[in-house]
Amino acid sequence: DAGVIQSPRHEVTEMGQEVTLRCKPISGHNSLFWYRQTMMRGLELLIYFNNNVPIDDSGMPEDRFSAKMPNASFSTLKIQPSEPRDSAVYFCASSLGPEAFFGQGTRLTVV
Amino acid sequence: AQSVTQPDIHITVSEGASLELRCNYSYGATPYLFWYVQSPGQGLQLLLKYFSGDTLVQGIKGFEAEFKRSQSSFNLRKPSVHWSDAAEYFCAVVGYNFNKFYFGSGTKLNVKP
């Protein structure tokens, strides 16, 4: 298996623009997580899905953030409108059971 | 509430020296515990995990960790550090339903030549 695949690896966008981050989990995994990593706040869990259903989105910072998982092999994290403080590395992870596997991350820069 | 504490933000050791990174957790039941490593610009890679059984677990790259229930700790050790071990290390705990991973704030390891 190729592991968790995230795209794009890097994204630079202007403030106010919509940004969509994508994730393909490992085949057969039933849980998917979105994390945000910054120097100030470390790794923060934004949302996680189980069997494509959002279970806990309490970490989503505000309404500008939304996440979907239309099927078992694809998830998106959307920021609309984006702001400079959203600049961070966004990680997707998937799991089947107690071990999570992480993607390489998307480095988002909002200017 | 579940939480993970890594008290050391930065650690510097000389190449060849031994290493111990501290991790304390708070969890109401027997936890599943993990150590991940993150190299610059990379995602998190699993070093080792503890689910049950022997409290001393071996991982990749010569790392080991010991689960001590009485101290709520899961410290990571390596007898001889290599320059390539310079990275950030994260301790994590997951609950019984496997659905929420709690990460520590990370420890950045610097290795002196």
Side-chain angles (χ1 to χ4, degrees):
Chain A
D1 200 312
V4 176
I5 299 173
Q6 292 186 246
S7 64
R9 289 294 310 276
H10 301 273
E11 177 80 44
V12 180
T13 190
E14 291 185 347
M15 182 174 62
Q17 297 298 305
E18 176 180 298
V19 175
T20 299
L21 312 182
R22 297 173 175 78
C23 175
K24 177 177 167 49
I26 292 173
S27 177
H29 283 191
N30 62 355
S31 292
L32 183 140
F33 310 81
W34 282 101
Y35 287 88
R36 178 172 67 177
Q37 186 178 38
T38 61
M39 290 289 291
M40 292 297 295
R41 301 170 71 93
L43 267 171
E44 301 174 274
L45 176 63
L46 301 178
I47 185 171
Y48 74 88
F49 296 82
N50 186 250
N51 294 322
N52 311 338
V53 176
I55 302 300
D56 184 348
D57 65 354
S58 59
M60 296 286 262
E62 46 197 279
D63 292 345
R64 297 185 297 107
F65 286 70
S66 63
K68 293 182 180 178
M69 192 164 186
N71 56 62
S73 58
F74 184 66
S75 176
T76 59
L77 178 68
K78 185 179 294 185
I79 308 173
Q80 165 64 18
S82 58
E83 297 182 3
R85 60 193 168 118
D86 301 330
S87 297
V89 180
Y90 291 81
F91 287 103
C92 176
S94 70
S95 72
L96 176 66
E99 183 175 337
F101 295 81
F102 282 77
Q104 295 290 294
T106 296
R107 180 174 295 278
L108 173 65
T109 303
V110 183
V111 298
Chain B
Q2 296 88 342
S3 67
V4 178
T5 302
Q6 293 180 246
D8 305 306
I9 299 174
H10 293 275
I11 283 186
T12 298
V13 299
S14 298
E15 190 168 17
S18 63
L19 171 71
E20 182 169 25
L21 303 183
R22 296 182 291 166
C23 172
N24 292 97
Y25 67 90
S26 173
Y27 188 70
T30 300
Y32 297 98
L33 294 158
F34 305 83
W35 275 99
Y36 284 85
V37 60
Q38 184 181 28
S39 298
Q42 301 297 313
L44 278 72
Q45 180 186 18
L46 181 69
L47 276 178
L48 48 78
K49 59 195 176 191
Y50 171 77
F51 292 168
S52 64
D54 192 346
T55 56
L56 183 65
V57 293
Q58 303 296 320
I60 62 172
K61 305 184 182 185
F63 285 92
E64 66 178 27
E66 187 171 11
F67 170 60
K68 292 186 177 180
R69 184 188 302 276
S70 61
Q71 299 177 18
S72 298
S73 69
F74 189 56
N75 294 349
L76 181 71
R77 302 195 294 248
K78 187 169 184 178
S80 177
V81 170
H82 188 261
W83 64 265
S84 60
D85 294 325
E88 188 160 17
Y89 292 79
F90 293 90
C91 182
V93 62
V94 66
Y96 70 94
N97 59 0
F98 309 151
N99 274 346
K100 198 158 185 176
F101 288 79
Y102 298 86
F103 282 88
S105 54
T107 298
K108 286 189 178 175
L109 174 65
N110 182 41
V111 180
K112 292 191 300 184

